Amino acid sequence: MTYIAPVKLTETDATTAATLNAVKGKIGMIPNLFATLARSPVALNGLLQLNDTIARGGLSAGEREIVALAVSQANTCHYCLSAHTLLGKGAGLSIEQTQQARAGNGGSPRARAIAAFAKTLVEQKGHVPTSVLDQFKAAGLSEGDLLEVIVNVVATTLTNYANNVARTEIDFPVVPVQLAA
């Protein structure tokens, strides 16, 4: 059962309604996550601004989805796992690649390093072993890439926590939380 209900456009102020309509114009819908975050315009605008900045970074859309999938699995966010599985497909990831990312793995050394680092960062609360950092660099990723993955982890963790607390109703094709054996 939903704990924090998403706002309806008719229930919110004109500025927040305009922001939600801009989301709809950009992606074709207002996901329940954004309508829920609209209960606090600071939360909604903060996430949107962070996501806009992240989109201009060096990681590809597929790599950002790898981070989101690894983090969402580590944080057991059913909403985000469902959303990012669909978004991952849209960014060119196969179902196998989305499953690998969720497990902290990947089909290439670069994808594997990104997923492993993101997963470990969450699970170890930032205390990442040097071996994982060395794997990251050995895959050809820079220190700047490492920091960019951290920013992506932060954005995904924000949505994971918001959805887990709000018990947001999933409005994407639902995927199981448990990884396939």
Side-chain angles (χ1 to χ4, degrees):
M1 186 167 121
T2 300
Y3 190 79
I4 301 173
V7 299
K8 293 179 175 48
L9 288 175
T10 57
E11 297 176 343
T12 192
D13 63 86
T15 303
T16 302
T19 301
L20 290 172
N21 279 319
V23 168
K24 184 177 183 178
K26 195 173 197 178
I27 62 175
M29 66 181 281
I30 302 171
N32 284 335
L33 162 67
F34 294 107
T36 300
L37 287 177
R39 294 270 174 207
S40 167
V42 168
L44 175 62
N45 291 319
L47 178 63
L48 291 172
Q49 289 170 9
L50 185 55
N51 283 343
D52 284 345
T53 300
I54 286 169
R56 294 189 305 267
L59 296 179
S60 70
E63 290 169 338
R64 292 191 306 271
E65 292 305 325
I66 288 169
V67 172
L69 288 160
V71 171
S72 297
Q73 186 69 46
N75 285 324
T76 321
C77 181
H78 199 188
Y79 185 96
C80 287
L81 286 169
S82 298
H84 288 290
T85 296
L86 180 65
L87 294 169
K89 284 196 258 182
L93 300 179
S94 67
I95 290 296
E96 180 182 4
Q97 289 170 314
T98 64
Q99 291 289 310
Q100 289 171 336
R102 289 175 59 182
N105 206 340
S108 70
R110 184 176 170 98
R112 185 170 31 261
I114 290 169
F117 174 67
K119 178 178 186 267
T120 304
L121 185 69
V122 172
E123 291 176 344
Q124 298 300 315
K125 297 175 177 50
H127 301 281
V128 178
T130 304
S131 61
V132 175
L133 298 173
D134 291 344
Q135 175 191 3
F136 194 88
K137 283 187 174 180
L141 291 148
S142 69
E143 291 170 353
D145 294 329
L146 184 104
L147 293 168
E148 193 169 325
V149 169
I150 292 171
V151 172
N152 278 269
V153 169
V154 168
T156 303
T157 300
L158 186 159
T159 63
N160 292 169
Y161 285 11
N163 285 314
N164 287 345
V165 168
R167 290 151 176 86
T168 310
E169 181 180 339
I170 300 170
D171 49 355
F172 291 94
V174 177
V175 300
V177 173
Q178 295 298 323
L179 286 169

